[in-house]
Amino acid sequence: MNPSPDQVPERLTAKTSWLLKELAVQAGRLSHEAFGAAGAKPYWYPLLAALAEFGPSSQAELGRRCRIDRSDVVAAVNALVADGCVERTADPVDRRRNVITLTASGRERLGVLDERLAAVQRELLAPLDTSERTQLTDLLWRLLAERTPERGDRPAP
Amino acid sequence: MNPSPDQVPERLTAKTSWLLKELAVQAGRLSHEAFGAAGAKPYWYPLLAALAEFGPSSQAELGRRCRIDRSDVVAAVNALVADGCVERTADPVDRRRNVITLTASGRERLGVLDERLAAVQRELLAPLDTSERTQLTDLLWRLLAERTPERGDRPAP
DNA sequence: CTCATCTCAGTCAGACTGACATTC
DNA sequence: CGAATGTCAGTCGGACTGAGATGA
């Protein structure tokens, strides 16, 4: 029936970096499907989440918090504005900045995406019990936290 | 001194899929640097590893074992041949197939890359002690193993 | 002057798709 | 015939780079 499970070289299965990449690809597929089916483009979820949790922000702030490049934030915010999820207004006190504000329909959208993403996590983490899940999250977070400080934003050229 | 650590939305830090993706990006950067500095192109390491561990194989086999698409295997093997790391000969018993064989210099190359990649793992896993590292590897592997069976190769159209 | 912000244009690696010829 | 293999051409999401304009 199945056309060979096909062994993976031990050199790969022993490398955390390889496991991370492979799993990230799978998780990406699932998330992409889930978001696409909900009519959301890439980057929308993190952006909406940041706005919901920290309130109106500049685009640069959004990028730093979600670890998304400034230039990609521009495009995503354009799409979010066009979709009515956020509003973009000029900051009166610092006229370089745009203030991005979550709208009611943006908050609603976030709710939907929250559910979809939760379903993805459930599927992804199916093989683990509850304590293992928190264990995994903890380990991953510690790794990420360690190598996060130096690049809050693009360094000034 | 540091220009704001900038809080990440909890909705992201709580999502395994997000942590995996973010960490995979970091790990990818490190590996890319390490491999590039050793004059190796993407996909080389997995391919060489598979050949070293399982002996001469067809390209399709290599792709299945390393989870690399057939068409990408073609390009990578071309480069590996040009670099003298492998040899490509026609399979006498099944003339659709190419048999890819590791050369001495390919094995040597693999040794170098092994060291570089090991260094990457060390840097990546620095925040964890030994038992935590094996714990992490174990958890990741279990997640990956669960969602691996269905796609040994592209399904026939 | 220096630095941050926003924006656009474009690059780049990597995963994947479609199609085709060949051989089993 | 159907299925597998190797190959090529091209797509696509996503991370990132460079440069320019504006304003603090």
Side-chain angles (χ1 to χ4, degrees):
Chain A
M1 167 116 274
N2 57 18
S4 77
D6 259 318
Q7 266 192 76
V8 178
E10 194 191 313
R11 257 168 257 236
L12 297 185
T13 60
K15 300 291 185 301
T16 311
S17 61
W18 186 82
L19 293 168
L20 285 171
K21 187 215 59 172
E22 213 61 22
L23 234 16
V25 168
Q26 310 273 352
R29 249 198 292 272
L30 294 178
S31 313
H32 192 266
E33 255 177 77
F35 287 158
K41 302 249 207 89
Y43 295 129
W44 284 22
Y45 181 78
L47 261 15
L48 294 176
L51 289 169
E53 296 187 20
F54 301 109
S57 326
S58 75
Q59 298 182 187
E61 249 174 336
L62 287 175
R64 266 178 253 122
R65 301 213 247 239
C66 304
R67 306 221 167 6
I68 297 175
D69 192 275
R70 292 207 306 281
S71 54
D72 296 319
V73 173
V74 173
V77 168
N78 285 344
L80 282 168
V81 169
D83 199 71
C85 290
V86 306
E87 271 166 6
R88 178 194 260 140
T89 62
D91 186 332
V93 329
D94 182 341
R95 293 185 4 249
R96 293 171 303 177
R97 291 182 163 130
N98 293 330
V99 177
I100 310 300
T101 319
L102 197 56
T103 65
S105 99
R107 185 165 271 107
E108 198 182 335
R109 194 60 160 268
L110 179 57
V112 176
L113 298 181
D114 263 332
E115 285 170 28
R116 309 288 190 126
L117 231 207
V120 167
Q121 311 303 307
R122 256 177 271 124
E123 180 173 351
L124 193 66
L125 297 172
L128 305 185
D129 66 40
T130 312
S131 94
E132 288 170 327
R133 295 182 190 194
T134 63
Q135 221 174 78
L136 177 60
T137 309
D138 172 63
L139 291 172
L140 291 176
W141 176 246
R142 281 169 56 201
L143 290 186
L144 190 56
E146 194 71 6
R147 64 186 44 263
T148 212
E150 1 81 22
R151 54 184 309 281
D153 193 11
R154 270 193 229 161
Chain B
M1 167 114 279
N2 58 18
S4 76
D6 259 316
Q7 265 190 80
V8 178
E10 193 191 313
R11 258 169 256 237
L12 297 185
T13 61
K15 300 290 184 304
T16 310
S17 62
W18 186 83
L19 293 169
L20 285 172
K21 187 216 59 171
E22 212 62 22
L23 233 17
V25 168
Q26 310 273 352
R29 248 199 293 271
L30 295 178
S31 312
H32 193 267
E33 253 177 78
F35 287 158
K41 302 250 208 84
Y43 295 129
W44 284 22
Y45 181 78
L47 260 15
L48 293 176
L51 288 170
E53 296 187 20
F54 301 108
S57 325
S58 75
Q59 297 182 190
E61 251 174 335
L62 287 174
R64 266 178 253 123
R65 302 213 246 240
C66 304
R67 306 225 168 1
I68 298 175
D69 192 274
R70 291 209 308 281
S71 55
D72 296 319
V73 173
V74 172
V77 168
N78 285 343
L80 281 168
V81 169
D83 199 71
C85 290
V86 306
E87 270 166 7
R88 179 194 260 141
T89 62
D91 186 332
V93 328
D94 182 342
R95 292 182 8 246
R96 292 171 303 178
R97 292 182 161 126
N98 293 330
V99 177
I100 311 300
T101 319
L102 197 56
T103 66
S105 98
R107 185 164 273 109
E108 198 181 336
R109 193 59 159 269
L110 178 58
V112 176
L113 298 181
D114 263 332
E115 285 171 28
R116 309 287 189 125
L117 231 207
V120 167
Q121 311 303 307
R122 257 178 270 124
E123 179 173 351
L124 193 66
L125 297 172
L128 305 184
D129 66 39
T130 312
S131 94
E132 288 170 327
R133 295 182 191 194
T134 63
Q135 221 174 78
L136 177 60
T137 309
D138 172 62
L139 292 172
L140 292 176
W141 176 246
R142 280 169 56 201
L143 291 186
L144 189 57
E146 194 71 6
R147 64 185 46 261
T148 212
E150 359 82 23
R151 54 183 309 280
D153 193 12
R154 268 193 231 161

